[in-house]
Amino acid sequence: QVQLVESGGGLAQAGGSLRLSCAASGRPFSRYDMGWFRQAPGKEREFVAAISWSGASTSYADSVKGRFTISRDNAKNTVFLQMNSLEPEDTGVYYCARGMSFREADPTRYDSWGQGTQVTVSS
């Protein structure tokens, strides 16, 4: 089993930036694709971005393309989400998760989750 801990959330103004980190421990991190999801109050959890085990391939939700960048450092067992040009609609709890394919946007296809980190974007 892998343990995931997110950090880096906080309050930002619209147009600002935040960088989220997800530190993994347990099973070999580098063997798995990883994803970021978010959940706003009263809404379902939604896909944000995912990255292949090697870091060579990525996928993004249309709503964040061109603004967010997912990356990973397998030597440090960490995956990142750089969020630029933040919008109030980006507000929510952000979760990282372990999956079998970076092409998957369905959260039920991810089997290990962190506790989440809150991101709040003010207008």
Side-chain angles (χ1 to χ4, degrees), residues 31-91:
R31 294 182 183 177
Y32 295 95
D33 293 3
M34 298 292 295
W36 283 97
F37 291 77
R38 66 187 180 190
Q39 188 165 18
K43 294 188 177 181
E44 294 186 351
R45 192 168 297 188
E46 66 172 358
F47 173 77
V48 175
I51 189 167
S52 63
W53 65 270
S54 68
S57 299
T58 58
S59 63
Y60 296 92
D62 289 343
S63 59
V64 307
K65 279 181 182 176
R67 300 189 299 120
F68 291 11
T69 302
I70 188 171
S71 61
R72 66 191 296 164
D73 185 340
N74 285 342
K76 296 183 178 179
N77 285 1
T78 303
V79 62
F80 304 97
L81 185 68
Q82 177 68 44
M83 305 187 296
N84 299 329
S85 302
L86 284 164
E87 302 170 353
E89 292 75 20
D90 296 319
T91 294

Side-chain angles (χ1 to χ4, degrees), residues 78-112:
T78 303
V79 62
F80 304 97
L81 185 68
Q82 177 68 44
M83 305 187 296
N84 299 329
S85 302
L86 284 164
E87 302 170 353
E89 292 75 20
D90 296 319
T91 294
V93 178
Y94 282 69
Y95 301 88
C96 68
R98 185 187 73 176
M100 297 307 296
S101 172
F102 72 96
R103 296 180 178 87
E104 288 284 358
D106 182 350
T108 65
R109 304 293 289 176
Y110 291 74
D111 65 354
S112 294

Side-chain angles (χ1 to χ4, degrees), residues 17-35:
S17 299
L18 286 173
R19 189 189 196 208
L20 305 185
S21 298
C22 172
S25 60
R27 288 202 164 208
F29 171 77
S30 62
R31 294 182 183 177
Y32 295 95
D33 293 3
M34 298 292 295

